[in-house]
Amino acid sequence: MSNEASGKNGMTAESSVKAATGAVVAAVGSVNPMAGIVLGAAKEFIDAPVLRLIEGVRARRSERASQALEVGADEANRSMDRLVQTVETSPDLLALMAESVQAAMETPLEAKIIALGRCLGRGVRDEATVDAERLRVRGLAGIEAPEVKLLDVLAGETHPMPEGGVQERWPGWRRPEILHELPGFEAVLDASIARLMAEGIVKDDGIGRFGGGGEDREMWVLTAFGRDCLSLLLAASTGN
C-alpha cells in the first residue's frame, strides 16, 4: 500500500471517529440549540475576547465528550462506529451514554473523564452491568477536585483516640481532624459532605456508636460504593 493510500485511509478513519463523536455529543446536549441561536444573533454585540472565551468553553466541552467516548470504545473493544451502533440498540445504553458524556463535558478532571468513559465501555461490553455502571457514573458526576481531596482524607488512616479509649484509633473521621487535614474547608465542609452523602459515597459511622450528638460524634467514612468510585478515579489517574 502506498503512503498516499495509507494516509487517505488514516484520514478516513479519523473523519469517521470525528463524525461519530460529533453526532453523539450533539445528541446529548453539547451545544444548547437555543443558546446557539441567541449567541449567533448577538455576536455583533459581544466583545471579541468574550466571544473567544465562550467558544473556547464550548470547544473544551466537546473535546471532553469525545475523549470519554473514545475511552469507552477502547474499554468495550469496539470501533467508535460499532460503539454508537450498539448504544443505539438499547434505551438503557443510550441513557448510560448520555449520563456519561454529560458528566464528562462538565468536568476539568482528566481522571474523571477516563473513569466515566470506562463505565460506559463496560456497560456496552456487558449489558447486564448497565444499571451498576449508571450508578457509578452518577457517583462520579458528584465528585470534583474538592471532593477528591476529601475522599483522599477519608480513605486514609484515622487519628489516634485519646489514651484510655476503647480502641486505638477513631472509627471514622471527625470534623476537627478533617479540618486539620483540609484547613480551607471550614466554610464548605458541610456542602461537600452533603454532596457525597447524596450519592451514597460517604456515611456517618458515629450514629448509634456514641451517646449524644454534635460534631464530636460525627465519624465520617467512605462507603463500599465510595471506595469503588475512588478506586476508579485512582486507576484512571495512574493509567491502570
Side-chain angles (χ1 to χ4, degrees), residues 3 10 23 33 42 62 66 82 93 97 116 123 125 139 158 160 163 166 190 204 214 226 228 233:
N3 290 337
S62 292
S66 295
R82 181 58 179 160
L93 286 177
M97 182 204 68
L116 289 164
R125 192 174 64 226
T158 58
E163 289 187 15
V166 295
D190 287 337
D204 181 2
D228 185 26
L233 291 172

Short mmCIF file of all heavy atoms in Angstrom, two decimals, residues 3 10 23 33 42 62 66 82 93 97 116 123 125 139 158 160 163 166 190 204 214 226 228 233:
data_model
loop_
_atom_site.label_atom_id
_atom_site.label_comp_id
_atom_site.label_asym_id
_atom_site.label_seq_id
_atom_site.Cartn_x
_atom_site.Cartn_y
_atom_site.Cartn_z
N ASN A 3 2.12 5.20 0.49
CA ASN A 3 1.97 6.15 1.60
C ASN A 3 0.74 7.01 1.40
O ASN A 3 0.05 7.36 2.34
CB ASN A 3 3.22 7.02 1.70
CG ASN A 3 4.42 6.25 2.19
OD1 ASN A 3 4.25 5.22 2.83
ND2 ASN A 3 5.62 6.74 1.89
N GLY A 10 -6.06 6.63 6.81
CA GLY A 10 -5.97 7.23 8.14
C GLY A 10 -6.91 8.40 8.28
O GLY A 10 -7.58 8.57 9.31
N ALA A 23 -21.70 13.51 16.36
CA ALA A 23 -23.14 13.24 16.38
C ALA A 23 -23.62 12.93 17.79
O ALA A 23 -24.67 13.39 18.23
CB ALA A 23 -23.47 12.09 15.45
N PRO A 33 -29.29 24.25 21.69
CA PRO A 33 -29.74 24.88 20.45
C PRO A 33 -30.19 26.32 20.63
O PRO A 33 -29.85 27.19 19.85
CB PRO A 33 -30.90 23.98 20.00
CG PRO A 33 -30.63 22.67 20.66
CD PRO A 33 -30.00 23.00 21.97
N ALA A 42 -26.37 37.49 18.65
CA ALA A 42 -25.77 38.54 19.46
C ALA A 42 -24.29 38.75 19.20
O ALA A 42 -23.66 39.58 19.85
CB ALA A 42 -25.98 38.22 20.94
N SER A 62 -16.81 19.78 24.09
CA SER A 62 -16.86 18.78 23.02
C SER A 62 -15.65 17.86 23.08
O SER A 62 -15.77 16.65 22.86
CB SER A 62 -16.93 19.47 21.66
OG SER A 62 -18.16 20.13 21.48
N SER A 66 -15.76 13.80 23.56
CA SER A 66 -15.11 12.92 22.59
C SER A 66 -14.12 12.00 23.29
O SER A 66 -14.02 10.81 22.96
CB SER A 66 -14.40 13.75 21.51
OG SER A 66 -15.32 14.49 20.74
N ARG A 82 -18.95 1.15 15.79
CA ARG A 82 -19.61 -0.02 16.38
C ARG A 82 -20.15 0.31 17.77
O ARG A 82 -21.25 -0.16 18.14
CB ARG A 82 -18.61 -1.18 16.46
CG ARG A 82 -19.18 -2.46 17.04
CD ARG A 82 -20.36 -2.96 16.23
NE ARG A 82 -20.89 -4.19 16.78
CZ ARG A 82 -22.11 -4.64 16.53
NH1 ARG A 82 -22.93 -3.95 15.74
NH2 ARG A 82 -22.52 -5.77 17.08
N LEU A 93 -28.59 1.61 27.36
CA LEU A 93 -27.26 2.05 26.95
C LEU A 93 -27.27 3.52 26.51
O LEU A 93 -26.31 4.25 26.75
CB LEU A 93 -26.73 1.17 25.83
CG LEU A 93 -26.27 -0.23 26.22
CD1 LEU A 93 -25.83 -1.02 24.99
CD2 LEU A 93 -25.12 -0.16 27.23
N MET A 97 -24.92 6.26 28.11
CA MET A 97 -24.06 7.11 27.29
C MET A 97 -24.34 8.59 27.56
O MET A 97 -23.41 9.39 27.72
CB MET A 97 -24.27 6.82 25.82
CG MET A 97 -23.37 7.63 24.89
SD MET A 97 -24.07 7.80 23.24
CE MET A 97 -25.50 8.85 23.57
N LEU A 116 -15.29 7.84 33.61
CA LEU A 116 -16.63 7.85 33.03
C LEU A 116 -16.66 7.06 31.73
O LEU A 116 -17.60 6.30 31.47
CB LEU A 116 -17.08 9.30 32.79
CG LEU A 116 -17.40 10.12 34.04
CD1 LEU A 116 -17.45 11.60 33.71
CD2 LEU A 116 -18.72 9.68 34.66
N GLY A 123 -20.36 -1.03 30.34
CA GLY A 123 -21.79 -1.24 30.13
C GLY A 123 -22.09 -1.73 28.73
O GLY A 123 -22.97 -2.59 28.53
N ARG A 125 -19.96 -3.41 26.84
CA ARG A 125 -19.37 -4.75 26.72
C ARG A 125 -20.26 -5.82 27.36
O ARG A 125 -20.35 -6.94 26.88
CB ARG A 125 -17.99 -4.76 27.37
CG ARG A 125 -17.16 -5.99 27.06
CD ARG A 125 -15.75 -5.84 27.60
NE ARG A 125 -15.73 -5.76 29.04
CZ ARG A 125 -15.03 -4.86 29.73
NH1 ARG A 125 -14.30 -3.96 29.11
NH2 ARG A 125 -15.04 -4.87 31.06
N GLY A 139 -22.36 8.61 40.71
CA GLY A 139 -21.46 8.87 41.82
C GLY A 139 -20.28 9.72 41.38
O GLY A 139 -19.92 10.71 42.03
N THR A 158 -7.34 6.84 60.25
CA THR A 158 -7.91 7.85 61.14
C THR A 158 -6.93 8.20 62.26
O THR A 158 -5.93 7.52 62.48
CB THR A 158 -9.23 7.35 61.77
OG1 THR A 158 -8.97 6.14 62.48
CG2 THR A 158 -10.27 7.09 60.69
N PRO A 160 -5.40 8.84 66.09
CA PRO A 160 -5.45 8.05 67.34
C PRO A 160 -6.48 8.61 68.31
O PRO A 160 -6.70 9.82 68.37
CB PRO A 160 -4.03 8.19 67.90
CG PRO A 160 -3.18 8.61 66.75
CD PRO A 160 -4.08 9.43 65.86
N GLU A 163 -5.73 8.54 75.11
CA GLU A 163 -5.38 7.41 75.95
C GLU A 163 -6.58 6.99 76.80
O GLU A 163 -7.32 7.82 77.30
CB GLU A 163 -4.20 7.77 76.88
CG GLU A 163 -2.88 7.91 76.14
CD GLU A 163 -1.73 8.10 77.11
OE1 GLU A 163 -1.90 7.85 78.32
OE2 GLU A 163 -0.65 8.51 76.64
N VAL A 166 -11.57 3.21 73.93
CA VAL A 166 -11.95 1.81 73.78
C VAL A 166 -11.18 1.13 72.65
O VAL A 166 -11.15 -0.10 72.56
CB VAL A 166 -13.47 1.69 73.52
CG1 VAL A 166 -14.25 2.16 74.73
CG2 VAL A 166 -13.87 2.46 72.27
N ASP A 190 -19.58 21.11 55.11
CA ASP A 190 -20.95 20.59 55.14
C ASP A 190 -21.48 20.36 53.73
O ASP A 190 -22.12 19.34 53.45
CB ASP A 190 -21.87 21.54 55.90
CG ASP A 190 -21.64 21.51 57.40
OD1 ASP A 190 -21.12 20.49 57.89
OD2 ASP A 190 -21.98 22.50 58.07
N ASP A 204 -22.01 8.69 57.96
CA ASP A 204 -21.60 8.97 59.34
C ASP A 204 -21.66 7.67 60.12
O ASP A 204 -22.74 7.19 60.46
CB ASP A 204 -22.51 10.03 59.94
CG ASP A 204 -22.13 10.40 61.37
OD1 ASP A 204 -21.13 9.85 61.87
OD2 ASP A 204 -22.82 11.25 61.96
N GLY A 214 -23.81 15.97 67.86
CA GLY A 214 -22.90 17.08 67.64
C GLY A 214 -21.67 16.68 66.85
O GLY A 214 -21.48 15.51 66.47
N GLY A 226 -18.34 4.29 47.82
CA GLY A 226 -17.40 5.39 47.78
C GLY A 226 -16.00 4.92 47.46
O GLY A 226 -15.27 5.56 46.69
N ASP A 228 -15.28 2.27 45.82
CA ASP A 228 -15.32 1.85 44.42
C ASP A 228 -15.11 3.05 43.50
O ASP A 228 -14.29 3.00 42.56
CB ASP A 228 -16.67 1.19 44.15
CG ASP A 228 -16.77 0.61 42.74
OD1 ASP A 228 -15.72 0.27 42.16
OD2 ASP A 228 -17.89 0.49 42.22
N LEU A 233 -11.26 6.46 40.02
CA LEU A 233 -10.52 7.70 39.76
C LEU A 233 -9.01 7.48 39.89
O LEU A 233 -8.24 7.97 39.07
CB LEU A 233 -10.96 8.79 40.73
CG LEU A 233 -12.38 9.32 40.53
CD1 LEU A 233 -12.76 10.26 41.67
CD2 LEU A 233 -12.48 10.08 39.20
#
